[in-house]
Amino acid sequence: MKHENIHHACGNKVSQAIQPDSAVAFFGKDQPLQLDSGIVLSPFQIAYKTYGSLNTHKNNAILICHPLTCDQHVANPHPVTGKAGWWDSLVGCNGILNTNRYFIICSNVIGGCLGSTGPASVNPQTGQAYALDFPVITIGDMVRAQAMLVNKLGIDTLFSVIGGSMGGMQVLQWASAYKEKVFSAIILASSARHSAQNIAFGEIGRQAIMADPKWQGGRYIDTGETPSKGLAVARMTAHITYLSEGTLHRKFGRNLHERSEITFGFDADFQIESYLRHQGFSFVERFDANSYLYLTRAMDYFDLAAEHKGRLANAFQNTKTRFFIASFSSDWLFPTHESRIIVHALNAAGASVSFAEFETDKGHDAFLLHEPVMVSAIKGFLESGARAIRGLSGDGSTS
Amino acid sequence: MKHENIHHACGNKVSQAIQPDSAVAFFGKDQPLQLDSGIVLSPFQIAYKTYGSLNTHKNNAILICHPLTCDQHVANPHPVTGKAGWWDSLVGCNGILNTNRYFIICSNVIGGCLGSTGPASVNPQTGQAYALDFPVITIGDMVRAQAMLVNKLGIDTLFSVIGGSMGGMQVLQWASAYKEKVFSAIILASSARHSAQNIAFGEIGRQAIMADPKWQGGRYIDTGETPSKGLAVARMTAHITYLSEGTLHRKFGRNLHERSEITFGFDADFQIESYLRHQGFSFVERFDANSYLYLTRAMDYFDLAAEHKGRLANAFQNTKTRFFIASFSSDWLFPTHESRIIVHALNAAGASVSFAEFETDKGHDAFLLHEPVMVSAIKGFLESGARAIRGLSGDGSTS
C-alpha cells in the first residue's frame, strides 16, 4: 500500500467517525448514557441506517447488532471502501430480512468509528479527539445506547434482534436487559462470555497496536499519523481466527503467490501471506486503532452470567422471547460448546429455544457468508415468529 | 520489564550468539555448508551440548533436534535465563534418555542464536553481524550441518534421532536424507509440511517484528537497540498456538490478575493477559529477533513430499529406520491428521512404524512436558530398539 493512500483513507476514516454517511441520533445533556464503569457519557450520538419502513403497528422492526469490525452499513455500499454492505445478501427486498416486510435498523456501536461516539469523536471538554480519555465501554453500554435509539424511533417492541459474534453478545444482552422489548432473538456464532483464548487473542491485537510508536499513547489523531502497522498485525492475527484450518488449506494450501519457486527471502512467497498482508493493510483504511482497543475490550469484559450471580439462566428468567441459537462446526473462536452453554441456560430458564450447529469448513466467518442452511433456518424461524404477530405474516405486507 | 533488563539481557544474548556457553565445532573454509538456496555458508560453527559418553562401539548416540525457540541446553541450566534445560525431565541418569546408557547430543540449529552461525553471528566479509545478509536457511540445511557435526564426533550411525515440532521436521529430514545413519526416529507433534494456517501464524510473527521501527531492517544489533515489542507480540501470538483452549480455560479462565474487579482500562485485568505479557517480554531476553524470522521461514519452507516429486512415501523408500510418531489430541498447531499423513507415507514405503495419539488438554506444548503416557511410550520404543543392538540393552551399561 502506498503512503498517500493511507493518509487519504485516514482522512476519510476520521470524517466518517465525525460526519458519517448515515442518519445520526443525537442525545443531548438531558439524555446521558449511563455507562457500566460508572461514568456518564454526555452528549453522545448514534449513527445508524434503516432499510424498509416501520409499519403502522410498529411491530415489524428488526435490529441488527454488528460484529467487531463491521458497522451500520449492512446493505449499502461502504462509504470508505465502496464495497457491498456486510450482510447485503440477507437484507433487501429479496433477502430473508425482507425490507418489504420488515423495518431493518443497524446502528454503529458506542465506541465504534463510523459515526457513533467513540475514541475518535471530539471530546467536548477539550475540543480534541477523546483518544484514551474515552471511557472503557461494555456490551451492556452498547445495548443501552441502542435501546435509547430504538425508543427515539418510536418502537416499543423489536420483532427480532439478530447478530453474530460480538453482535450475538449484544443480542444476548438485549434479551436479558430488555426482555419485554425483544419478541425474538437470533444469536449466531457467539458466546455468553469471552473465553480465555479469546481474551488472549484480544490482548495480542491491543499489544500489537500499542507497540506501534505511531500509536503515541492513543493521541495519533492529533498528529496526522496512524499506527497502521500495529493495527494491520492485529487484524492479520484476528483474521486467522475467523477462518478454519480447512478453509486455509482449501483456499491457499502451500500455493505460491505469483511465482513458481520459493525465493529464499521474506517476501510473500505464499498466497496465504499475500492474502493476510492485504487483509491487514486494507483494514487500516476503514478502521480506527483506538476503536479496535475499545471494542475488543468490551468483548473481553462480556460475561452475562457474572452479572446474574454466576448463573446464566438467571439472565433469562421469565423470558417470553423466542430464541434461535446457531453455531458453525469449524468455528474455533466461538465453538459450538459456547452456544450449548447458552442453550442449556435458556432451557433451564424455560425459554423457547431452537438450536442448530451448521456443518461448514468456513470457520467463524461462516455467519457473515450466505450459507444456505443458515439462511433457510433463519428464514423459517422468522416466518414462524411472524405468523404469531398481527399483520406481519404474508407476502410483502408491511401494515 | 524494566528498560535496563532488556539491555542487559540483550548483551548476554548477543554474547551467547557469538561466544556460547557450550562446545563449538568450527568448520573452516575446507568444510563449507552447501545450502538449499544455492549459497555456500563458510566458515560456520555449530554450538552443541553432549550428555553421557559415546561407547566403544559408537552405537549409543541419540541426537535431539530442538524446536523453534529452544536450543542445545536440553538438560543443563540455560545460560541466559538460568532455568532448567527444556527437556531436563527426559535427559539424565534417571531419564528415559538415560545418560548412563546413551550419548546425548543436541546442537543449536544453523540460523539460531545460541552459538551456531546465524543472523546474529559476525559476517567475516564485513566484520559486522550478518543480520538480513544471512542466507535464508531450510530444515534441510539445519540437518546437513548437524550431519557434519555428527561426522566430526566420529559417529556413523545414530541410535536415535528425536524431536518435536520443528525438531520433528528435522528428524523427518534426517530419516529421509541420511537413511543409513538413523537406526530409529522419534517424531513428536510435527508434520511433513507446514500447513497454510501455520505459515499464516509464522507470517504474523515476522510482520510483528518487522513492524517494530527498532528492527531497522534487521540492523538493530549495530545500534544497540532491539525490536523487543515486535518480538514480544510475535511470541505472544505463537504462545497461544502452543496451548489449547482447554488449558487456557483450566489454567486461567476469566480469572482476574491481582484484583477483585475489572478496572475498565487496558491494563492486564485478566490473568491470561498478564501471563501472555510475561511470556512475550521474558522471551526477548533470550532470543534474537532476526533468528525468529529465519527459523519460522525454514519451517514455512519445509515440505518433504515436494522434495520427492510430491509423494511423501518416496522420501522413505527402502528405509530400515524404525519410526515412532506421536501426536497430542488437543494440539491444533500440528494436529493428529498431520501425523497420520506421515504414518500413511511410512506404511506405503513399507517402513517399521509405531503411532500413538496421546489424550491431553495441554495442546502443542504437551511434547515438552513430562506427559507420563508419552514418556513411557518413548521408553518402550527405545528399549525395544536397544535390544536389537549389541551391548546397548541392559542396565546402565555404556559399552
Side-chain angles (χ1 to χ4, degrees):
Chain A
M1 155 173 275
K2 288 177 189 157
H3 197 61
E4 300 88 342
N5 288 346
I6 293 177
H7 270 267
H8 170 72
C10 170
N12 199 353
K13 193 170 56 181
V14 169
S15 79
Q16 286 296 322
I18 294 165
Q19 291 190 306
D21 284 342
S22 67
V24 169
F26 186 78
F27 298 87
K29 298 255 171 197
D30 54 329
Q31 293 171 294
L33 181 62
Q34 183 65 51
L35 302 177
D36 283 332
S37 62
I39 294 172
V40 173
L41 185 67
S42 180
F44 73 100
Q45 66 180 40
I46 299 287
Y48 67 101
K49 293 286 293 186
T50 66
Y51 309 89
S53 315
L54 189 62
N55 64 11
T56 47
H57 297 300
K58 299 186 175 180
N59 64 8
N60 69 333
I62 295 180
L63 177 70
I64 297 175
C65 299
H66 71 72
L68 177 61
T69 66
C70 293
D71 46 48
Q72 70 270 38
H73 300 287
V74 175
N76 54 271
H78 194 278
V80 177
T81 66
K83 286 187 184 166
W86 58 272
W87 244 358
D88 199 45
S89 62
L90 260 58
V91 176
C93 51
N94 292 315
I96 54 164
L97 303 184
N98 188 334
T99 48
N100 288 332
R101 179 185 295 178
Y102 302 118
F103 178 56
I104 311 292
I105 311 161
C106 185
S107 65
N108 187 216
V109 293
I110 279 286
C113 52
L114 266 289
S116 292
T117 304
S121 304
V122 175
N123 180 349
Q125 297 196 333
T126 65
Q128 289 188 309
Y130 274 105
L132 257 62
D133 293 333
F134 191 75
V136 165
I137 43 90
T138 65
I139 300 290
D141 297 332
M142 294 176 189
V143 167
R144 208 170 293 117
Q146 285 163 1
M148 290 171 76
L149 170 69
V150 166
N151 188 49
K152 195 165 212 160
L153 294 174
I155 298 163
D156 273 340
T157 304
L158 293 159
F159 170 61
S160 198
V161 186
I162 177 172
S165 197
M166 186 182 88
M169 291 176 167
Q170 293 164 63
V171 179
L172 287 167
Q173 185 75 30
W174 263 101
S176 168
Y178 301 98
K179 288 184 177 65
E180 71 291 352
K181 291 183 177 294
V182 181
F183 176 76
S184 69
I186 301 174
I187 295 121
L188 308 170
S190 195
S191 171
R193 55 115 176 83
H194 226 205
S195 70
Q197 183 167 285
N198 287 4
I199 294 172
F201 278 115
E203 172 69 359
I204 299 290
R206 290 188 295 269
Q207 288 291 326
I209 290 166
M210 292 175 169
D212 188 332
K214 291 192 176 170
W215 179 64
Q216 302 164 79
R219 294 239 64 94
Y220 53 90
I221 301 173
D222 307 342
T223 66
E225 292 198 295
T226 50
S228 306
K229 287 185 177 177
L231 182 58
V233 169
R235 173 62 169 180
M236 287 165 68
T237 310
H239 200 79
I240 300 178
T241 70
Y242 300 155
L243 307 177
S244 72
E245 200 211 350
T247 304
L248 287 166
H249 182 67
R250 179 169 48 75
K251 280 180 78 169
F252 305 107
R254 294 182 51 83
N255 297 336
L256 298 178
H257 173 64
E258 297 175 355
R259 61 204 69 186
S260 58
E261 292 187 346
I262 56 172
T263 62
F264 292 97
F266 296 107
D267 280 348
D269 273 1
F270 296 100
Q271 286 178 9
I272 176 64
E273 294 178 295
S274 155
Y275 171 78
L276 273 184
R277 290 182 191 189
H278 172 75
Q279 289 295 330
F281 286 100
S282 62
F283 182 61
V284 304
E285 288 183 33
R286 67 176 176 87
F287 214 85
D288 175 57
N290 284 339
S291 256
Y292 198 84
L293 302 180
Y294 279 86
L295 301 191
T296 55
R297 200 52 165 166
M299 291 178 80
D300 289 353
Y301 278 170
F302 188 60
D303 186 354
L304 192 54
E307 292 174 31
H308 295 86
K309 299 180 181 170
R311 187 169 176 266
L312 188 57
N314 292 351
F316 307 115
Q317 221 160 17
N318 302 320
T319 185
K320 287 177 185 154
T321 303
R322 299 166 182 225
F323 287 87
F324 178 70
I325 316 286
S327 67
F328 298 88
S329 58
S330 56
D331 182 352
W332 57 277
L333 197 63
F334 290 87
T336 292
H337 64 80
E338 297 285 357
S339 284
R340 285 194 200 282
I341 290 170
I342 302 169
V343 172
H344 293 164
L346 287 166
N347 286 335
S352 157
V353 53
S354 299
F355 167 65
E357 182 194 46
F358 299 117
E359 281 294 323
T360 171
D361 79 346
K362 290 178 184 148
H364 184 60
D365 261 1
F367 84 89
L368 289 169
L369 307 171
H370 200 80
E371 287 284 286
V373 281
M374 175 191 86
V375 170
S376 91
I378 295 175
K379 186 168 190 268
F381 175 76
L382 286 173
E383 282 180 357
S384 146
R387 279 194 294 274
I389 298 221
R390 186 172 51 145
L392 204 55
S393 190
D395 197 12
S397 162
T398 60
S399 63
Chain B
M1 157 173 277
K2 287 177 188 158
H3 197 59
E4 302 85 343
N5 289 347
I6 294 178
H7 270 266
H8 170 72
C10 170
N12 198 353
K13 193 168 59 182
V14 169
S15 79
Q16 285 297 322
I18 293 165
Q19 290 190 307
D21 284 341
S22 67
V24 170
F26 186 78
F27 298 88
K29 297 254 172 196
D30 54 329
Q31 292 172 294
L33 180 63
Q34 182 66 51
L35 301 176
D36 283 333
S37 63
I39 292 171
V40 173
L41 185 67
S42 180
F44 74 99
Q45 68 180 40
I46 299 287
Y48 67 100
K49 292 288 292 188
T50 66
Y51 309 88
S53 315
L54 190 61
N55 64 10
T56 48
H57 297 301
K58 298 186 175 180
N59 63 9
N60 70 332
I62 295 180
L63 177 70
I64 296 174
C65 299
H66 72 72
L68 176 61
T69 66
C70 294
D71 47 49
Q72 69 271 37
H73 301 287
V74 175
N76 54 272
H78 193 277
V80 178
T81 66
K83 286 187 184 167
W86 58 272
W87 243 359
D88 200 45
S89 62
L90 260 58
V91 176
C93 51
N94 292 315
I96 53 164
L97 304 184
N98 187 333
T99 47
N100 289 331
R101 180 185 295 180
Y102 302 117
F103 178 56
I104 311 291
I105 311 161
C106 184
S107 65
N108 188 216
V109 293
I110 280 284
C113 51
L114 265 289
S116 291
T117 304
S121 304
V122 175
N123 180 349
Q125 296 195 334
T126 64
Q128 290 188 308
Y130 274 106
L132 258 60
D133 292 334
F134 191 74
V136 165
I137 43 91
T138 65
I139 300 291
D141 298 332
M142 294 175 188
V143 167
R144 207 171 295 116
Q146 286 163 359
M148 290 171 75
L149 171 69
V150 166
N151 188 51
K152 195 165 213 163
L153 295 174
I155 298 162
D156 273 340
T157 305
L158 293 159
F159 170 62
S160 198
V161 187
I162 178 171
S165 197
M166 187 182 87
M169 292 177 166
Q170 294 163 62
V171 180
L172 288 166
Q173 185 76 28
W174 262 101
S176 168
Y178 300 98
K179 290 184 176 65
E180 72 291 350
K181 290 181 179 295
V182 181
F183 176 76
S184 69
I186 301 173
I187 296 121
L188 309 170
S190 194
S191 170
R193 55 117 177 79
H194 226 204
S195 70
Q197 184 167 285
N198 287 4
I199 295 172
F201 278 114
E203 172 68 0
I204 298 292
R206 291 189 294 271
Q207 288 290 326
I209 290 166
M210 292 175 168
D212 189 330
K214 291 193 176 170
W215 179 64
Q216 304 164 79
R219 295 239 63 93
Y220 53 89
I221 301 173
D222 308 342
T223 67
E225 294 198 295
T226 49
S228 307
K229 287 186 177 176
L231 182 58
V233 170
R235 173 63 171 181
M236 287 165 70
T237 311
H239 200 79
I240 300 177
T241 71
Y242 300 154
L243 306 177
S244 72
E245 199 210 352
T247 305
L248 288 166
H249 181 67
R250 180 169 47 75
K251 281 179 76 168
F252 305 106
R254 295 181 51 83
N255 297 337
L256 298 179
H257 173 64
E258 297 174 355
R259 62 203 69 188
S260 59
E261 291 187 346
I262 56 172
T263 62
F264 292 97
F266 297 107
D267 280 347
D269 273 1
F270 296 101
Q271 285 178 8
I272 177 64
E273 294 178 296
S274 156
Y275 171 78
L276 274 183
R277 289 181 191 189
H278 173 75
Q279 289 295 329
F281 286 100
S282 62
F283 182 60
V284 305
E285 287 182 34
R286 66 175 177 90
F287 215 84
D288 175 58
N290 284 338
S291 255
Y292 198 84
L293 302 180
Y294 279 85
L295 301 191
T296 55
R297 200 52 165 166
M299 292 179 81
D300 289 353
Y301 277 172
F302 188 60
D303 186 354
L304 193 55
E307 292 174 29
H308 294 87
K309 299 180 179 168
R311 187 170 176 267
L312 188 57
N314 292 350
F316 307 114
Q317 223 160 17
N318 303 319
T319 185
K320 287 176 187 155
T321 302
R322 299 166 181 225
F323 288 87
F324 178 70
I325 316 287
S327 66
F328 298 88
S329 58
S330 56
D331 181 353
W332 56 279
L333 197 62
F334 288 87
T336 293
H337 64 79
E338 298 285 357
S339 284
R340 284 193 199 284
I341 291 170
I342 302 169
V343 172
H344 292 163
L346 287 167
N347 287 336
S352 158
V353 53
S354 299
F355 167 65
E357 182 194 46
F358 299 116
E359 282 294 324
T360 171
D361 79 346
K362 291 180 183 145
H364 184 61
D365 261 0
F367 84 90
L368 290 170
L369 307 172
H370 199 82
E371 287 284 287
V373 281
M374 176 191 85
V375 170
S376 91
I378 295 176
K379 185 166 190 268
F381 176 75
L382 286 173
E383 282 179 358
S384 146
R387 280 194 292 275
I389 297 218
R390 187 172 50 146
L392 205 54
S393 190
D395 197 12
S397 163
T398 60
S399 61

